[in-house]
Amino acid sequence: MADIRITGRMVNFTRLTLDTNDHDAIRQQLANTLSEGAYQGTLVIIDSTVEQELIALIQLLISLGLQPMAVIDGILGDEARAIQFPVLPADQPLQRIKPSREEVVLVEEVKADTLNSETKTTPTKTAIAHKTSYHDEILRTGQSLVQDHGDIILNASMNSGSEVIASGNIHIYGNVRGRVIAGAGGNSAARIFCHSLEAELVSIAGTYCVADDIPKDVLKKAVHIYLNDKQELVFQALEF
């Protein structure tokens, strides 16, 4: 009998992206996020946009109950290799594609400009462009469809490894196998509608759910996804 066996297992990691090397600030922000204990023991991959004292950062994450497993190659790559800490290859950028067509609607926003700090105000009107992107072709692996100022309507399916990102709502009239991100920029009123849900990740206004955590009773069904009053994702199966 062989002394070594090689087997495979799918393991979920959480990617921790850092835009600061102030470890006090990192500790405070993570402590707030981890306060309910939901992330205790979570395996994390470190991705930093700034230089870090890597050993100190690893010790910080461990002290907070996280398990750092590797860094994304880049700014921290050489430092990680010097201490023989695992390094994962950087992501390949997705190809941002143009929608089949786009519709623009000007919406008037009324604001009150103060003329006199005590009593007088005068209203002003500002025209805001709300855009809806329509795409009629399958979104293929490695492709990204983005609408920064409105909604997206995808009249086809999306493959795994693709993504749809909108500041507003997202409607997908096909199978969803990639990443769907609505309310980008913080719009918690945004919603997601899809014909068949098999997504790698869904997110609204920063609240996200990965594939393994999507309720099993809505998989491969038409689903409406939104945030409730507690800013939790709700998955509602649609009946036709």
Side-chain angles (χ1 to χ4, degrees), residues 154-167:
L154 178 60
N155 294 313
S157 298
M158 58 183 299
N159 293 340
S160 59
S162 64
E163 68 179 15
V164 176
I165 303 175
S167 64

Side-chain angles (χ1 to χ4, degrees), residues 5 9 15 17 21 55 61 76 84 88 98 103 111 123 155 171 181 188 205 223 225:
R5 289 178 292 167
R9 180 187 175 197
R15 184 170 180 149
T17 302
N21 54 17
I55 292 178
L61 298 178
L76 298 181
Q84 298 185 337
L88 299 181
K98 293 183 178 180
E103 180 181 274
K111 292 183 178 180
N155 294 313
H171 300 253
I181 301 168
S188 60
V223 180
I225 307 168

